[in-house]
Amino acid sequence: MKRTIVTMPGDGIGKVVLDETLRVLTAAGFEADYVEGDIGWEFWRSEGNPLPQRTIDLVAKHKIALFGAITSKPKDEAFEELAPELKDKGLIYSSPIVGLRQHFNLDICARPCKTYLGNPLNFIRRGANGEIEEPFVDVVVFRQNTEGLYGGVEWSNPPQQVYEAFLTHPKFKQNFGSVPKDEISISTRIFSKNATERILRAAFSHAREFGYKSVTLCEKPNVIRETSGMMYKMALKMQKEEFSEIQLWNTNIDAQMMWLTKNPEDYGVIVAGNMFGDIISDGFAGLIGGLGFACSAQMSADGVAVFEPTHGSAPKYADYQISIVNPIAMIESACMMLDYIQEKDMAAKIRKAVAEVIAEGKVRTYDMMKMSGRPDVIEKGAASTNQMADAIIAKL
Ligand code: NAI
Ligand code: MG
């Protein structure tokens, strides 16, 4: 069956890495119809909406989307750049990524971080006898994507009713009771049972399917007793009743960041709430090469899934005559899409080609050569975005 995939290039380098990725997909033999969804800054400026309804409709219809990256700017700048005829309409910019997440309830975010042998950006450390060790990292972070600290329930100078409700909590009264209301900002951290159960189950199921021996819950239940505490209790129960062959480890986010470089090879699947999942996945991404390699999937309960690199639109590189950015994060995101739609052999084939190019070490983008990004990196021997994709295609 030929599929239809929604492509949302977005802004800046999003367009470039997505184009190159589509070439790689085609070269791997993946047959699909691609329909392009408008998203990003251009549509904010011209229409006052960075996520037009027609794009939402396309994603609703076809369910599977590849997304490049978008540009976001602070509120005032966003207003300045609006088309003149839209300026008096009271429009307020909001991130289209968050918009997609909320609209389709893309509550499960998966971010794999796996070492490619031969990547000069791999994390190294010294062993007991002073020798250089290069631990093999193979971690998949499952991050709850819609709730918690990024759930958006927050106030500065909260409404009276809210303030009074908070005053009923003894800790609030004790610690903040004497602070004037207009000097208080509150950001809430709300976890629901249903969403918590879904992210835990996604993590355990992934561990089972792909043979990871452990799932690590990375929260802080000893201090954040209600939300982290609920998640921990649910994880214990789920492990015991449904996934007893998989070990459940429990780490605190702060300690986990410390252990990140000490023993990253010990971890398999990691599961966390929204913010801690965001933090820990960036941490692990740093060990395997950073933004040029960090891919992700965002998935809903009813089969809508958006695959995207973790990086943004990198505006300073967007207008380069020859694009220099690394397309691997986007290509890896497309591999996650292939896995999701059960084209696992094709995903494996592309990952093997990427691994071969990296191991060979002849074709490297500027980030892999530890250069700072400038137009002259190509003269200095770095591969362009296009050349990197070509090298991968040649291996295919
Ligand atoms: P960014 O990820 O766009 O770029 C940060 C730096 O990382 C770049 O200057 C570059 O040195 C490096 N980099 C990023 N992608 C790379 C690649 N594929 N290959 C090699 N190097 C790469 O983050 P920044 O500069 O903080 O934000 C730029 C814009 O992107 C902002 O408007 C921001 O709001 C937006 N953004 C969008 C995201 C998304 O679409 N998911 C995520 C993060 C930021
Ligand atoms: Mg992040």
Side-chain angles (χ1 to χ4, degrees), residues 8-16 39-43 50 67-72 93 96 312-315 318:
M8 296 184 282
D11 303 305
I13 65 165
K15 296 177 205 264
V16 186
I39 192 167
W41 200 247
E42 194 183 321
F43 302 96
F67 171 49
I70 51 100
T71 298
S72 285
Y93 179 82
S313 62

Side-chain angles (χ1 to χ4, degrees), residues 256-367:
Q256 181 73 69
M257 291 314 285
M258 182 265 293
W259 286 323
L260 186 70
T261 50
K262 282 189 133 174
N263 59 338
E265 67 272 42
D266 290 350
Y267 297 95
V269 172
I270 293 186
V271 62
N274 206 338
M275 188 193 199
F276 295 161
D278 198 12
I279 293 171
I280 201 69
S281 60
D282 274 20
F284 273 100
L287 304 179
I288 56 117
L291 287 174
F293 295 87
C295 55
S296 79
Q298 310 187 72
M299 298 160 281
S300 79
D302 45 10
V304 176
V306 178
F307 301 86
E308 58 164 317
T310 305
H311 65 72
S313 62
K316 64 180 175 186
Y317 305 140
D319 299 326
Y320 279 28
Q321 204 84 45
I322 300 171
S323 171
I324 63 165
V325 295
N326 191 344
I328 291 177
M330 181 82 235
I331 292 168
E332 281 287 328
S333 305
C335 290
M336 294 184 82
M337 174 193 79
L338 292 174
D339 279 339
Y340 185 85
I341 60 177
Q342 302 302 320
E343 295 282 3
K344 295 190 180 184
D345 292 346
M346 219 172 284
K349 198 161 101 180
I350 296 175
R351 288 193 182 108
K352 183 163 169 279
V354 172
E356 284 171 13
V357 171
I358 294 173
E360 212 171 69
K362 285 195 212 140
V363 180
R364 287 175 170 169
T365 44
Y366 83 94
D367 53 324

Side-chain angles (χ1 to χ4, degrees), residues 215-236:
V215 168
T216 302
L217 175 68
C218 180
E219 278 284 321
K220 186 104 182 169
N222 54 333
V223 177
I224 316 176
R225 291 173 186 276
E226 300 306 326
T227 45
S228 292
M230 176 180 86
M231 195 168 188
Y232 181 49
K233 262 192 274 173
M234 290 174 72
L236 281 174

Side-chain angles (χ1 to χ4, degrees), residues 148-167:
L149 256 180
Y150 300 169
V153 183
E154 44 186 3
W155 307 265
S156 285
N157 187 11
Q160 190 63 28
Q161 210 183 357
V162 172
Y163 180 71
E164 276 164 22
F166 271 97
L167 275 177

